[in-house]
Each structure stands twice: as structure tokens, then as C-alpha cells.
Amino acid sequence: MKIYKTKDYDEMSRKAANIIAAQIILKPDSTLGLATGSTPIGLYKCLVEGYEKGDLDFSQITTVNLDEYKGLPRENDQSYYYFMHENLFHHVNVKPENVHLPDGTREDSEAECAGYEALIRSLNGVDIQLLGLGHNGHIGFNEPSDQFEKETHCVTLTERTIEANKRFFASADEVPRQAYTMGIGTIMRAKKILVVVSGEDKADIVSKAFFGPVTPEVPASILQMHPDVTLVADAAALSKIPD
Ligand code: F6R
């Protein structure tokens, strides 16, 4: 695993965006696995700037997002579909037909998850998968559990995740209780993985996930087994890793 320590959030965003930009330049028809959450917002801003300057071309890029709330329509400003369009897709020349997220409005979880997994498999592999890290070690919506979930599936969110995400809703009651997410196996099949983490509140989980035992109780710990992981984190998030 490569670790890049940055002085702050802005430097983390630039460094991680440069890694994705390099991927786009070296392989213009890459499949990018994307994440939502607050951490990648600065990184997406840098990619948009790269596009506006004429340095990046998304015309042959395909994207697959990690996850989506179940039950939220696309036009809900808390849906991940909305988030991705606001922060990236509306601002670059990615083709709408090449953008993929699980369809949160589809009631039939089994059909939606099987279809999404099949779609990802049909893309010849995700070239680089971007991940944020939850306080409980979740990646995508893969919550701590007694086993690693392999494929795209429907999850019931933990109280902690509902608590963490309620800041985006009028109240905790409005946070959807379920979500569709790539599985740990889906994530691990990506050729490269790029994890971005910022802030002192993530320092404990960074040290557990990347330096502790590999266990489904800390889903991100499985990343220790992936052959090509890059962690870009600011000094605060790396403040508790062992020397
Ligand atoms: C988002 C996602 C989540 C977040 C994680 C960290 O698509 O899958 O796993 O990456 O909850 O979120 P932030 O960046 O808001 O701390």
C-alpha cells in the first residue's frame, strides 16, 4: 500500500485528483469507480478544473458509483445520483449513457443488485475505485458485520451511519434506512483502489483499517489484501498510525 500524507484537506484533494487525472490521461476510456460523501468533494472540484482548463477529457470515460440510497428519487438532493451530477457529471463531458449508479427507486432489491453487479462485470473491470472511509470502517455501505459481503446487495444502515448522515437531512427520521451498495468482492475486483481520508475524527479508524487485523468488523481492513491500494490522507487523519 502506498500512503501519501498531505498537510490538509485541499492538498489531499489535489493529490488524489492528480492520481485520477493521470488515469484518465493514460487510459482515456477508463472505467472510474466513484464515491460520494464529503471527502471527495474537493477532489471532484479539481477534476472539473482540469476539464475546464482542457487538460482532461471525459468523453470516453465510464463511471460506476459505489452506492445509492434505496427509496430516494434521483431528483432528491440527497440522492447520490443528484450529488454526482452536482459535483462532477454536470460539469464535465462524460456521456450520460456512460454514467452508472444503482437505481434507488427500484423496489426489487434482488433484481437491482444482480443487474448492477452484471453491469460492472460487463465493463472489463474498474480501472480505479475511489473510496472514502466511514467512522466505523465502512466502505461503500458495507457496514461492520461478521462476514464480508461479496457482491452488490441491499443493506440496512446502522444507527451510527444514520447518525453520521443525518446532517444532510432535515432530521434523522428522513435518512433512508436502506441502500444498495457494491459488495466488498465487487470493490476488491477493481484494478486499483484510491482511498481518501481527512480529519482527526478519522485517525482511529485509519489506524485500525490499515494497520489492524483484517476483519469484517472493520470492512475497510480487507483493503490490506488488495495488491494496488493508494491512501491519500491528511496529517490529522494519519496522526494515529504506528511509526
Ligand atoms: C459514499 C460512501 C461512504 C463514504 C463514507 C465516508 O459513496 O460509500 O462509504 O465514503 O461514509 O463519508 P465522508 O466522506 O462523508 O466522511
Side-chain angles (χ1 to χ4, degrees):
M1 180 176 57
K2 289 185 241 54
I3 302 181
Y4 291 109
K5 180 177 179 170
T6 65
K7 67 173 191 303
D8 55 19
Y9 176 81
D10 288 345
E11 193 181 297
M12 177 210 76
S13 301
R14 284 199 306 278
K15 175 71 95 183
N18 283 340
I19 293 171
I20 296 184
Q23 175 69 40
I24 296 172
I25 291 165
L26 292 171
K27 188 174 178 238
D29 61 348
S30 290
T31 296
L32 309 179
L34 299 177
T36 61
S38 43
T39 316
I41 290 176
L43 175 171
Y44 290 144
K45 210 162 159 253
C46 295
L47 290 180
V48 171
E49 282 164 14
Y51 169 71
E52 285 170 350
K53 277 194 223 149
D55 292 340
L56 294 178
D57 175 16
F58 289 76
S59 62
Q60 297 177 67
I61 291 293
T62 298
T63 69
V64 277
N65 260 79
L66 277 171
D67 45 14
E68 177 61 283
Y69 285 120
K70 183 176 177 188
L72 285 193
R74 289 174 162 183
E75 53 283 0
N76 185 302
D77 63 3
Q78 293 310 320
S79 76
Y80 289 173
Y81 180 94
Y82 191 98
F83 174 100
M84 287 308 303
H85 284 78
E86 278 298 295
N87 286 288
L88 183 66
F89 301 150
H90 279 326
H91 310 287
V92 298
N93 63 336
V94 67
K95 296 198 176 102
E97 64 270 29
N98 290 343
V99 158
H100 307 285
L101 290 98
D103 180 356
T105 61
R106 195 145 167 218
E107 263 304 312
D108 184 342
S109 302
E110 241 171 75
E112 178 54 23
C113 294
Y116 200 65
E117 192 69 26
L119 169 94
I120 296 168
R121 282 189 187 272
S122 75
L123 295 172
N124 280 331
V126 171
D127 290 292
I128 187 162
Q129 175 66 56
L130 175 65
L131 297 175
L133 179 65
H135 288 105
N136 59 5
H138 74 218
I139 46 177
F141 269 121
N142 292 277
E143 301 286 7
S145 154
D146 51 9
Q147 57 175 33
F148 290 113
E149 286 277 355
K150 290 194 183 67
E151 304 212 313
T152 302
H153 58 288
C154 180
V155 284
T156 299
L157 308 191
T158 62
E159 278 311 313
R160 189 152 187 207
T161 299
I162 292 168
E163 235 354 80
N165 291 3
K166 77 171 188 204
R167 65 191 194 272
F168 303 115
F169 293 83
S171 72
D173 288 344
E174 290 187 21
V175 184
R177 267 32 190 181
Q178 289 189 308
Y180 295 138
T181 181
M182 284 187 197
I184 293 290
T186 329
I187 294 170
M188 289 293 278
R189 286 201 311 274
K191 293 173 196 158
K192 292 183 209 136
I193 292 184
L194 171 62
V195 192
V196 284
V197 196
S198 168
E200 209 186 333
D201 54 317
K202 297 272 177 81
D204 279 325
I205 194 63
V206 165
S207 126
K208 271 195 201 145
F210 296 102
F211 298 90
V214 175
T215 161
E217 288 300 325
V218 182
S221 64
I222 193 77
L223 300 173
Q224 295 178 43
M225 315 290 282
H226 191 283
D228 192 345
V229 174
T230 303
L231 169 64
V232 182
D234 59 18
L238 291 173
S239 58
K240 293 194 179 160
I241 63 168
D243 293 325

